[in-house]
């Protein structure tokens, strides 16, 4: 671990509050938009990515690889994370990039983010 690194306990509750104002537009039990509730595995990812900070307050982790089985809301969760970084981050001109092994997959994440925004 980096010298001076610490865990910021306010990171996850902020994202959870933001998520609670959003609608999950795909992969819902009803097939219709429902309030976005972060699943435990998504909470762990976000807590680790956004919670761990360097001594100067910047995020400790700058890249991550997240893999899991299909139908676990990966695309929607990462779309929400991207929106959080775009809207909630303290950067003056934030940039969020979507990368995938296939163009269609990165397009799906973009569409998920767009749908989340348009449904609110």
């Amino acid at each position: 671990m980096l010298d001076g690194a610490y865990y910021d306990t306010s990171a996850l509750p902020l994202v959870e509050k933001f998520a609670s104002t959003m609608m999950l537009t795909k992969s819902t039990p009803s097939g219709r938009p429902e309030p976005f509730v972060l699943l435990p595995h998504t909470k762990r990812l976000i807590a680790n990515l956004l919670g761990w900070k360097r001594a100067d307050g910047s995020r400790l982790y700058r890249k991550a690889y997240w893999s899991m089985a299909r139908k676990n809301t990966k695309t929607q969760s990462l779309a929400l994370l991207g929106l959080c970084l775009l809207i909630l981050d303290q950067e003056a001109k934030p940039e969020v990039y979507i990368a995938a092994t296939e163009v269609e997959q990165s397009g799906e994440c973009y569409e998920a983010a767009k749908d989340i925004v348009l449904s609110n």
Side-chain angles (χ1 to χ4, degrees):
M1 188 64 61
L2 202 62
D3 284 342
Y6 66 96
Y7 184 76
D8 177 5
T9 58
S10 68
L12 182 60
L14 181 63
V15 174
E16 286 179 311
K17 186 173 182 177
F18 180 76
S20 73
T21 68
M22 298 290 137
M23 297 296 282
L24 181 62
T25 57
K26 193 173 175 186
S27 300
T28 62
S30 69
R32 295 186 313 252
E34 294 180 3
F36 205 120
V37 177
L38 295 175
L39 298 175
H41 60 270
T42 305
K43 287 182 185 182
R44 281 191 300 276
L45 173 75
I46 292 171
N48 280 305
L49 284 178
L50 302 183
W52 284 104
K53 307 277 178 84
R54 298 170 189 263
D56 66 0
S58 64
R59 282 191 296 276
L60 180 62
Y61 298 111
R62 308 213 187 265
K63 296 179 183 177
Y65 175 81
W66 193 33
S67 178
M68 81 177 48
R70 297 178 67 230
K71 301 296 180 191
N72 278 293
T73 69
K74 289 185 301 291
T75 301
Q76 290 76 21
S77 296
L78 293 177
L80 179 82
L81 179 59
L83 291 171
C84 287
L85 294 173
L86 189 65
I87 297 168
L88 301 177
D89 223 3
Q90 299 301 312
E91 299 243 354
K93 295 181 180 180
E95 295 180 11
V96 176
Y97 296 92
I98 300 167
T101 57
E102 311 244 342
V103 173
E104 293 80 20
Q105 183 61 39
S106 59
E108 284 185 32
C109 193
Y110 169 79
E111 289 297 323
K114 185 175 92 174
D115 289 346
I116 290 170
V117 169
L118 292 176
S119 70
N120 289 280

